[in-house]
Amino acid sequence: MNAPDTQTQNLASYNFAYLDEQTKRMIRRAILKGIAIPGYQVPFASREMPMPYGWGTGGVQVTAAIIGRDDVLKVIDQGADDTTNAVSIRAFFAKTAGVATTTSTPDASIIQTRHRIPETPLHAGQVLVYQVPIPEPLRFLEPRETETRKMHALEEYGLMHVKLYEDIARNGRIATTYAYPVKVEGRYVMDPSPTPKFDNPKMHQSEALQLFGAGREKRIYAIPPHTDVVSLDFEDHPFEIQHFDQPCALCGGEQVYLDEVVLDDHGGRMFVCSDTHHCESRRADGHRGALLGDEPGQDKEAMA
Amino acid sequence: MTMAPHSSTVYEGGFSDPVGASQAVFRALMNAIARPGSIHAVPHVTTPPAPLMASASALIATLADADTPVWLDPALTKTAAVRDWIVFHTGAPVTDQRSEASFALVAAPQNLSALNGFALGSQEFPDRSTSVILQVSTLTGGTRLTLEGPGIKGQSSLAPDPMPQHFAAQWMANRAVFPRGIDLILAAPGSVAAMPRSTRLIRSEA
Amino acid sequence: MYVAVKGGEAAIANAHRLLAARRRGDAQVPGLTLEQIAGQLSLAVDRVMGEGSLYDPELAALAIKQARGDLIEAVFLLRAYRTTLPRFGHSEPIDTGEMIVERRISAIYKDLPGGQLLGPTFDYTHRLLDPALAGDAPLEAPETGVDTGEKVTRVSDILGDEGLIEDDPVTDSKRPVADITRTPMEFPMQRDARLQTLARGDEGFLLALAYSTQRGYARSHPFAGEIRIGEVDVEVMIPELGFAVVIGRVKLTECQMVNQFQGSAKTPPQFTRGYGLVFGQAERKAMAMSLCDRALRAAELGEDITAPAQDEEFVLSHCDNVQSTGFVEHLKLPHYVDFQAELDLVRRMRAEHFASAAKADDETDVAKEAAE
């Protein structure tokens, strides 16, 4: 065995939760400002992280700034604990912070997510950390930061309503299905991150604190618990969420968000819960969907 | 170069576990700001020179550094000890300009004249504002304040003492410039509560 | 019966083992040493140091090795390491006028104090593949000059003495120098922050923009006033001592572009500047940077902003290759939740489309029958 040389030793010594304390302080200050001004995007000096920009660096920095030794962390991507990037981020914190991890939504004190809000209602004391690619809800209407900043300052959101209305004129409905803009506490229009609009109502008056981190774009924002979060709409075209025609094929769950799984090349497909923990715990409780195997309560996936 | 003589307290009483202590204090504060009116325990992790309170010093040691000027009220600048302790343990520059301060530490809230002398941020960057830490002796024994707003289910209340003169009117003025404004952090012995700028004060029938 | 795909953790671990094996290549062939990379692929090392914003040839060589020669990946490795380093202080401004030059050329004077010094350049080589380099034949030692002690005056200073070129744009010296690694971007951006951003910007991106200015998208009539490559001292002020001490030397490439300017009511006609300064030997990057810097000074000089290279938000928000590669490549991450939402919408809209088309058909048929 080769003794590790000094350089590897140096490179291997990172702080608790990776970030140095000065960086954490800077991020913490931004988080506090974000909570105090719900929906306002606080600029912060985002750092390069050991994973690429666009792969959750904002969420990772927020989590790293708030996490403590007693926290229990859950990480999901597309609602699932076992997607590769969720696995990678969970392993990162298990390694750099030595914290306990879980796939159980109620057991987690911090949940970092990309693209979904868990189906199980969150409880007080939990923090939901969103990974955000483009935090500016007006960005695709106006690419210039100098302009969008002015619009937020003046509470001038006409452009957004025009865009949504053009959707209606062209398609007979609002054609935005995810990253559907919301208004927070009657003031800031905010991007909920690319969650399907199905999840928007869960943000409203949530028991949990919701923090949003955009690493590449260097913005942090927040929604405190018990805060009004309203999806933009029109009187004659009220906001509505997606509805699925069938229950989850594995757990029989309804009123949940489903993923379409292609089963074969003859058009066979099925719909299953995107929230893997929700699906598994329902099956553990004896709920059974149409395509679940024979042995009740047996977790088939463990064998794959 | 000779060092100015100091009492040893200036160099002592900082975090012994900077990583764990600052995280614990931060989480208490984050929860306090996320749920205005709720009271959270602050672990005893710092021992500052009087009249700086342990909880207030833990908060400033958690939040401040070379990038954040700190303003101290006259009660804290009577002796050099508090200023020197903060400079030594946080590296933060101490400013006498309220409008430049990222943080303000106030040991005698009853003597604080106006909240609007602090940085309120701009309409474009409302985050560029002062967070004001008031040292209070109690969060439950003073005049009752009824609060509403983000983070509060229905209503919540606090009864801090001492508080700035005409606080209700001052707070309404602060709320009126939202999203600009200051955020208020109330540091009591062993605990912290907060009133971010989004919090509305409800005139309660006393 | 359906069995879900799991085992992401094992798949990731296996993929990374395969990566390590591919990186090593044929085990019969000796592995590359960092000395070999730093010594023989030194321009790659320089590029990685420049865009990685960390002057450390050994670590840059390690990053290149670890990245299998993917320079943007190597830049990313170095940046992610750099950001964790404690910050002890900042250096005094370096003085490129005191540079120990290895190369120094000017395209605007035939000869000048300090002379034209070609140095180790590809210029005037014939780009013919050299089979001899496939081996390791002994090399004729290069001729090296003797330091004459003659000061290599900066061309911009020669022009400046006559008032023919604008003074260096003055920045408020009381304002602390910007640090783009510690403060988020804000527009409009001051020149110090802009130059920092360009200095770590992607060479290819800046090169393309610089090229566009030469083809009429914000033409600036540039002349390569001077390009110099060499080493400069890095000094740090020690408050206890009251003076600055040299803590080391870095190799730099500096480019001063001299550009035409008509003058205005306030200023007589004079040349204007575009500036490039990059770690290591990185001439193409320094030249591209100086053309971009000049183009981005349009607002300051009262020029019309008509071209991409003049658009501050566009150029500076997109020149960082660590950011752009991350976001482009994040499209590899699963997006099936959002795609599902779109699928659902497209299916519904198609169904409505065909339903209304069928209805229209029926109505036309009915109308036809009625007409017959």
Side-chain angles (χ1 to χ4, degrees), chain C residues 307-371:
Chain C
Q310 296 169 303
D311 185 329
E312 177 179 70
E313 284 203 39
F314 177 79
V315 174
L316 300 176
S317 299
H318 301 112
C319 69
D320 189 300
N321 56 24
V322 177
Q323 288 174 11
S324 33
T325 196
F327 201 48
V328 167
E329 294 198 44
H330 109 286
L331 293 172
K332 292 182 282 191
L333 290 179
H335 282 79
Y336 50 76
V337 162
D338 293 343
F339 189 69
Q340 185 62 49
E342 296 278 273
L343 261 182
D344 177 65
L345 180 69
V346 172
R347 280 188 184 133
R348 278 175 207 274
M349 284 170 52
R350 281 172 63 87
E352 282 169 21
H353 172 82
F354 291 125
S356 68
K359 193 169 160 233
D361 271 2
D362 289 350
E363 279 163 9
T364 335
D365 288 350
V366 171
K368 265 192 197 155
E369 278 164 25

Side-chain angles (χ1 to χ4, degrees), chain A residues 19 21-47 58 61-62 65-66 209-214 217-224, chain B residues 26 29-30 33 62-65 67-68 102-103 126-129 131 183 196-197, chain C residues 182-184:
Chain A
L19 295 176
E21 289 303 301
Q22 193 180 350
T23 300
K24 285 186 198 166
R25 259 195 309 276
M26 175 272 294
I27 296 172
R28 286 168 180 166
R29 292 192 294 255
I31 290 171
L32 298 181
K33 286 289 196 310
I35 298 171
I37 317 166
Y40 165 73
Q41 303 164 50
V42 185
F44 82 112
S46 173
R47 302 292 198 247
Q61 288 181 78
V62 169
I66 66 172
L209 169 63
Q210 302 173 76
L211 301 178
F212 300 77
E217 299 281 339
K218 301 178 168 53
R219 298 287 185 272
I220 284 172
Y221 52 104
I223 304 174
Chain B
F26 168 73
L29 176 61
M30 182 178 86
I33 293 182
T62 296
L63 295 169
D65 58 30
D67 295 333
T68 58
S102 299
F103 296 99
D127 54 303
R128 295 178 181 175
S129 57
S131 299
D183 303 312
R197 69 193 77 182
Chain C
R182 305 213 311 157
T183 41

Side-chain angles (χ1 to χ4, degrees), chain A residues 207-262:
Chain A
E207 288 282 346
L209 169 63
Q210 302 173 76
L211 301 178
F212 300 77
R216 192 176 37 75
E217 299 281 339
K218 301 178 168 53
R219 298 287 185 272
I220 284 172
Y221 52 104
I223 304 174
H226 305 295
T227 296
D228 287 340
V229 179
V230 179
S231 302
L232 301 184
D233 63 0
F234 297 93
E235 256 175 43
D236 49 342
H237 284 275
F239 172 78
E240 53 185 24
I241 62 173
Q242 291 100 340
H243 288 286
F244 292 85
D245 301 333
Q246 48 198 311
C248 169
L250 296 180
C251 77
E254 295 180 14
Q255 261 95 61
V256 292
Y257 196 81
L258 301 177
D259 290 333
E260 180 172 340
V261 178
V262 178

Side-chain angles (χ1 to χ4, degrees), chain A residues 7, chain C residues 45 49 54-62 78 81 279:
Chain A
Q7 196 165 74
Chain C
V45 167
M49 292 196 302
L54 182 70
Y55 196 91
D56 189 323
E58 195 185 6
L59 285 182
L62 174 63
L78 210 57
Y81 172 69
F279 279 153

Side-chain angles (χ1 to χ4, degrees), chain B residues 28-172:
Chain B
L29 176 61
M30 182 178 86
N31 289 331
I33 293 182
R35 293 176 164 76
S38 66
I39 296 171
H40 299 266
V42 175
H44 191 101
V45 287
T46 44
T47 311
L52 189 57
M53 208 182 265
S55 59
S57 69
L59 290 166
I60 206 72
T62 296
L63 295 169
D65 58 30
D67 295 333
T68 58
V70 174
W71 180 86
L72 303 173
D73 80 338
L76 291 171
T77 47
K78 271 186 199 145
T79 67
V82 169
R83 162 194 291 261
D84 293 347
W85 189 91
I86 289 169
V87 170
F88 180 77
H89 291 284
T90 70
V94 171
T95 177
D96 53 11
Q97 298 296 314
R98 291 183 191 203
S99 59
E100 285 176 4
S102 299
F103 296 99
L105 262 176
V106 179
Q110 67 278 16
N111 297 335
L112 188 64
S113 52
L115 297 179
N116 60 10
F118 296 108
L120 303 178
S122 63
Q123 204 67 20
E124 280 81 11
F125 293 97
D127 54 303
R128 295 178 181 175
S129 57
T130 309
S131 299
V132 180
I133 303 172
L134 300 184
Q135 279 193 179
V136 295
S137 54
T138 175
L139 291 168
T140 53
T143 308
R144 191 177 141 98
L145 304 171
T146 303
L147 314 177
E148 280 183 4
I152 303 168
K153 188 177 188 175
Q155 294 188 331
S156 69
S157 67
L158 269 180
D161 190 73
M163 286 294 276
Q165 310 264 312
H166 312 296
F167 176 68
Q170 290 211 54
W171 191 254
M172 293 206 189

Side-chain angles (χ1 to χ4, degrees), chain A residues 109-124:
Chain A
S109 57
I110 299 173
I111 302 172
Q112 182 168 327
T113 182
R114 176 169 171 265
H115 292 194
R116 277 310 311 277
I117 299 174
E119 306 288 3
T120 313
L122 302 177
H123 58 74

